[in-house]
Amino acid sequence: MENREIGGSGKRCRRRCLLLCAFAVIVIIIAVVVGLVLHKGTQDFKTIFLQRCKEFKDNNCERIWDGFEKAYVNQNSCNVPMEAYDPLLAVAPFKSSNKTMFWSKTKDVVHSFTEKRDCFLTLEDTLLGSVLDGLTWCGKEGSHETLTTGCPGWTQCENNTVRSFWGRVSAAFADIATGNVTVMLNGSIITPFSSDSIFGSIEVKRFDSKRVKNLNILLVMQKNAVTNCTNDSLKELQMVLDKGIKYNCKEVAESQIEECMSQPEKPCESCW
């Protein structure tokens, strides 16, 4: 009886050891797979970044990538302030422009227009704006990888990686605006100007009357337009605008803008 009990105990011990070994192997495999996936995510993201960057000639894209990556790698993804992207802007600064176009809640129509007509420059038409448009990225403490999933959403935390980037480059883009500045706002919503938007909270506040002479509002009107240039939110815009900058608002049918896209011989100013 004693021998059988000892033998049974030994078998149970061996089974436990085999189970523990099998579990350890599974954990190692999962860790390796996760590591490979994270590395592949970084490589895929970097490939997209560099491919888009190289569409803009005469730029050191590897250097720009290094400046970009330093802003968020090994950082809490909710603790990346706007200033973290200052080194990136140092290696890829914006150039002064007198044909800047801003937008709020009109992204599709604005970019359809600038894609077909070379009259205006939006942030997304610049190197940094074009490279990162539509992408999500973040880092995490203790890692030098670039993550593309599991990143905090725009409203989840104020200093998240993506939100801080767009806030910082938006401020820099507004700083290089000169002369006549144009912004397309949405005439199909009750408040076309929102102080919470990037345009309202950052860009318009950076317009300096020493550089910017006129702010031209294009209120894009669809068939379901619910407002016009007398809207109260636009009066709020005038109040926060730097004194000395002339304000002008014009209601423009979206169909009129679309028609003008297909007429390259037509001066852009006559589109509205």
Side-chain angles (χ1 to χ4, degrees), residues 186-235:
N186 194 334
S188 297
I189 56 178
I190 297 175
T191 54
F193 172 75
S194 170
S195 58
D196 294 327
S197 67
I198 284 185
F199 177 69
S201 64
I202 296 177
E203 292 169 333
V204 73
K205 294 180 179 180
R206 309 285 291 213
F207 296 156
D208 187 336
S209 59
K210 294 178 182 178
R211 294 179 289 101
V212 177
K213 302 307 177 185
N214 300 288
L215 177 62
N216 300 312
I217 309 296
L218 298 179
L219 197 58
V220 181
M221 313 295 283
Q222 298 176 334
K223 291 181 179 179
N224 60 339
V226 296
T227 189
N228 54 42
C229 283
T230 63
N231 186 274
D232 286 342
S233 71
L234 297 179
K235 295 177 182 178

Side-chain angles (χ1 to χ4, degrees), residues 240-258:
V240 299
L241 194 63
D242 191 20
K243 293 181 178 179
I245 299 177
K246 294 181 180 179
Y247 169 93
N248 177 61
C249 179
K250 190 170 186 179
E251 299 158 17
V252 186
E254 184 172 349
S255 58
Q256 181 179 337
I257 297 173
E258 292 173 347

